[in-house]
Amino acid sequence: MTKTLVIAEKPSVAQDIVRALTPVAGKFEKHEDHFENDRYVVTSAVGHLVEIQAPEQFDVKRGKWSFAHLPVIPPYFDLKPVDKTKTRLNAVVKQAKRKDVTDLINACDAGREGELIFRLIEQYAGGAKPLGKPVKRLWLQSMTPQAIRDGFDALRSEQQMAGLASAARSRSEADWLVGINGTRAMTAFNSRDGGFFLTTVGRVQTPTLSLVVEREEKIRKFISRDYWEIHATFGAQAGEYPAKWFDPKWKKSEDVEARADRVWSAAEAQAIANAVRGKQATVTEESKPTTQASPLLFDLTSLQREANGKFGFSAKTTLALAQSLYERHKALTYPRTDSRALPEDYLPVAKQTFEMLADSGMRHLAPHALTALNNNYVRPSKRIFDNSKVSDHFAIIPTLQAPSGLSEAEQKLYDLVVRRFMAVFFPSAEYTVTTRISTVAPHSFKTEGKVLVKPGWLAIYGKEAADEVEGGKDGDKGQNLVPVKPGEMVNTLAVDPKGLKTKPPARYSEATLLGAMESAGKQIDDDELREAMQEKGLGTPATRAAIIEGLLTEKYMLREGREIIPTAKAFQLMTLLRGLEVEELCRADLTGEWEFKLSQMEKGLLSREAFMQQIAAMTERMVKKAKEYDRDTIPGDYATLESPCPNCGGVVKENYRRFACVGKPGAEGCGFSFGKSPAGRTFETAEANALLRDKKIGPLEGFRSKAGWPFTSEIVIKYDDEAHNYKLEFDFGDDKKGEESGEIVEFEDASLGACPICGSEVHEHGSNFVCSKAVPTAAQPTPNCTFKSGKIILQQPVEREQMTKLLETGKTDLLDKFVSMRTRRAFKAHLAWDKEAGKVNFEFAPSKFPPRKPAAAGAAAKSIAAKAGKTAASAKKAAKPAAAKKAPATKTAAAKAPRKAAAGKAPSAALAAVIGAEPVARPEAVKKMWEYIKAHNLQDPKDKRTIVADDKLRAVFGKDSAGMFELAGILGNHLGGEG
């Protein structure tokens, strides 16, 4: 009997497919890497299992960072397995090559990346010749069992997916060509004066960075101007009202900061105030009704922007939460979408969704869903249901499955989507807007009042929305106005000229940067216009979060609160690219054009060959520009340091590569200079100033050795007798030099306390606190202890008193000046002796906020478990029928009772030696295992995803190393008896 192989993108999706197919296709048998019944074999990847590479004959191993071997444009690409998932790849390929498997179904995520994952696996499985088995495509918008079964009833053909497959391969190859050639060319350029300065560029990440740099340049160059507004208070018979002076004849000009209500001199503002003070004014007013429709449904980018603005979630976090709500909880439709409309035949599903919400027991949402159903709000609308605005995926909306057991963050995001879904069907909010002009000839003052007449969709958001409605600002907008009778003269009670300053443009937040990426840098606030532009955006909704995270990881940008700030390294890269005139990597709109061409290819309107020829030409031009650039420096907008030259007191200026002395006025420079990027870490201007002023700075993180290893060091400027000038050096602390040289150390300070490892005295030594037996001393020339702790840890100075306290009590006071290497945010922690890890570690204070209680199970389920006195596993089984019934609106005492925590399994003896012998659930076992791995520093430094086993882990793994993705499976084998 022949079978069909179904390949999903992740194991969890494979399990969902099996559960959905079982009622219609028969029971599946579970094997180690797949499920199987009479009709189907279901297996899965774990994301990308295969990646592209240059063929062996075109691949440069040695000298790849020199111009001699650039550009690298292979005529075709080979495939290579991703190292960490080779085992999984072999398992999938084994199933694909089975004789009884005659056709395949691609069940990877419904998008460009999912298409690529499958296509590369299929190509790899075929080897030198194609696999030659027919392929169908499962295209899922929702992960509910019925949606999966419906997907299997409407599989797409190979021909239907050809355009998407071409775009997926072209995107991957274009990114490889631009990334490899661009990074190697810019690194070769930056390293040609010696050293190694890795300079990464990318087809999408670099234009995105240019948006952030250009905004920062505008902020730095901005010159604030003084202006004045004249605010008045008028008195009518019915009461007082505020107003603001404006010029009714004002028209827009080239001055972008000019406004109808601004004057540019204090004298003019005072003259207007003096002219009207104490006088009577005539009043004219116009009232008109206006409406405000709800915003459109969410696509991924608008959801990420909203969640960033409301909750401070990063784009990456929002995507992960949305993916979990889609995949794990089956509560949202497919999140990686660029569409904000629904298909025209989706009206019945929308009605069913409202019925689910009305019946769900979610008290904050159900009444609004009931209102919509009772008032027949759910009806056809081109604004909501429009096939022409639906790409391969429709907008993100709730599914017919009411979720349970959501985390606090998941609940916030789910509520955001549900409220938006309901709001789009509700009527528009209705206002009366009154514009009142109070005139004291010849001066006019404007007051605007906005009164909410019918809340419409705003009812779903309550007070929160009323505070945020358009025009709801204090002062001249949004207030309820006291009435003025026809012909009534009002008195000018007070006039106050207010002095203000113009402000520079705001820095990007993640929300505004996502918007700029979506519109390729064009400032577009209107939803509909932005939708029309999004095909020419930077990246896709699915990739934008990863692009931003990549730039943060590479230290091109930093997060400060919600602001995103480019680093000196970013400015240096933009200076280089502009100087080399490599426009394609600087201009967001040009790269947006590439993205548009990929979307055209998906629709079959552009050939893959034509696109790849354009990318190859761009790559060749970029390398040629870098290779042939022959001037000494790159033109740019460079800084002049405030601190003088340490050698001659002259002025120190920045150029492309260095900070160099240019001498005192009328004199030449003395030759003093230092590189801007020692060991691949670029100085910020403030850091360079501090280094000159203090002749030392640090410890600083982010340096890389020639072998590519990261390190932390102080940097000092020392006088060099031979050169008769100052030079820059790394300073790792006297203790390091002493250890390496074997010189005998003599401690002059009093002991701080007893070493927690061996009980000997602990002293200050160089930049550390060390045990007296951890360095060579006269009493013991050969060190035999390892205790050492830094005097500065993540920028937090550790005083002697705190180390004494740690040695006496086990931990320091709560210290508040630590700065995270990853987020650059300050945090508080105790330093504490970790006996198991054998070193000083962080201990965090307990949260002020109690942990979120787990979702209560149904009362019936609880009573079944209680009466039967069963284990947690059997109680769960018994609870299923009850859980399927509708939850009562009121919580019973049983529902409020906390869930028992003993749902776990007893670890094997080998595993117990690592995590303890208590019964434990698999997720908790994995968590404890990671704590052990990190505490004992067992991750392979070359590949953090590989765990190198010590004696205890070898007994668990059954081998010398294991991949991080294997852990859950390995631990499952060691969790036997139930707890």
Side-chain angles (χ1 to χ4, degrees), residues 357-358 360 362-370 411 414-415 418-419 422 460:
L357 292 168
S360 66
M362 289 184 271
R363 291 182 182 181
H364 58 304
L365 302 172
H368 303 300
L370 204 57
Q411 188 69 55
Y414 181 73
D415 285 0
V418 172
R419 287 179 198 272
M422 291 195 293
I460 293 168

Side-chain angles (χ1 to χ4, degrees), residues 643 684-697:
S643 303
E684 300 291 333
T685 305
E687 290 174 340
N689 266 316
L691 177 59
L692 287 189
R693 183 186 65 239
D694 304 331
K695 295 195 174 54
K696 70 172 184 177
I697 189 170

Side-chain angles (χ1 to χ4, degrees), residues 15 28-36:
Q15 288 172 343
F28 283 80
E29 226 177 283
K30 188 178 188 302
H31 298 268
E32 190 177 352
D33 295 303
H34 69 282
F35 302 86
E36 188 169 351

Side-chain angles (χ1 to χ4, degrees), residues 803-833:
M803 181 49 62
T804 299
K805 189 163 193 173
L806 184 149
L807 296 173
E808 284 176 358
T809 67
K811 67 179 179 182
T812 65
D813 295 332
L814 189 66
L815 306 177
D816 61 1
K817 292 185 177 63
F818 296 107
V819 177
S820 164
M821 285 174 66
R822 189 174 65 82
T823 65
R824 302 289 290 228
R825 290 178 184 167
F827 67 90
K828 299 177 183 179
H830 301 275
L831 291 175
W833 174 247

Side-chain angles (χ1 to χ4, degrees), residues 582-636:
V582 184
E583 281 192 329
E584 294 89 340
L585 281 177
C586 294
R587 282 181 49 192
D589 56 339
L590 286 178
T591 306
E593 287 292 333
W594 297 119
E595 208 67 50
F596 175 68
K597 285 172 182 174
L598 286 168
S599 70
Q600 293 292 91
M601 198 185 302
E602 286 180 19
K603 296 166 188 167
L605 302 174
L606 177 71
S607 76
R608 173 164 147 70
E609 292 72 24
F611 177 80
M612 291 311 300
Q613 281 171 8
Q614 292 171 332
I615 290 288
M618 168 190 171
T619 303
E620 287 172 338
R621 181 179 172 278
M622 176 175 59
V623 171
K624 189 168 183 276
K625 285 276 188 183
K627 194 185 284 191
E628 293 179 357
Y629 192 87
D630 57 359
R631 279 166 279 170
D632 290 338
T633 188
I634 300 280

Side-chain angles (χ1 to χ4, degrees), residues 263-333:
V263 296
W264 297 100
S265 77
E268 186 183 352
Q270 196 60 54
I272 293 169
N274 293 341
V276 302
R277 189 175 284 113
K279 296 192 178 171
Q280 288 196 315
T282 58
V283 178
T284 58
E285 68 180 24
E286 181 186 359
S287 294
K288 60 181 180 182
T290 186
T291 60
Q292 183 187 343
S294 86
L296 297 170
L297 294 168
F298 283 124
D299 64 0
L300 178 59
T301 303
S302 57
L303 179 62
Q304 286 170 321
R305 294 181 68 188
E306 187 88 356
N308 182 252
K310 270 197 165 63
F311 312 128
F313 293 167
S314 71
K316 180 184 176 184
T317 298
T318 299
L319 176 55
L321 291 170
Q323 196 72 21
S324 172
L325 287 163
Y326 162 68
E327 222 170 79
R328 184 163 156 245
H329 298 286
K330 320 291 183 287
L332 292 186
T333 57

Side-chain angles (χ1 to χ4, degrees), residues 342 346-355 378 385 397 421 425:
L342 299 175
Y346 223 69
L347 182 64
V349 182
K351 278 187 176 163
Q352 288 174 308
T353 309
F354 269 91
E355 287 163 4
V378 189
F385 304 99
I397 63 169
F421 170 71
F425 288 96

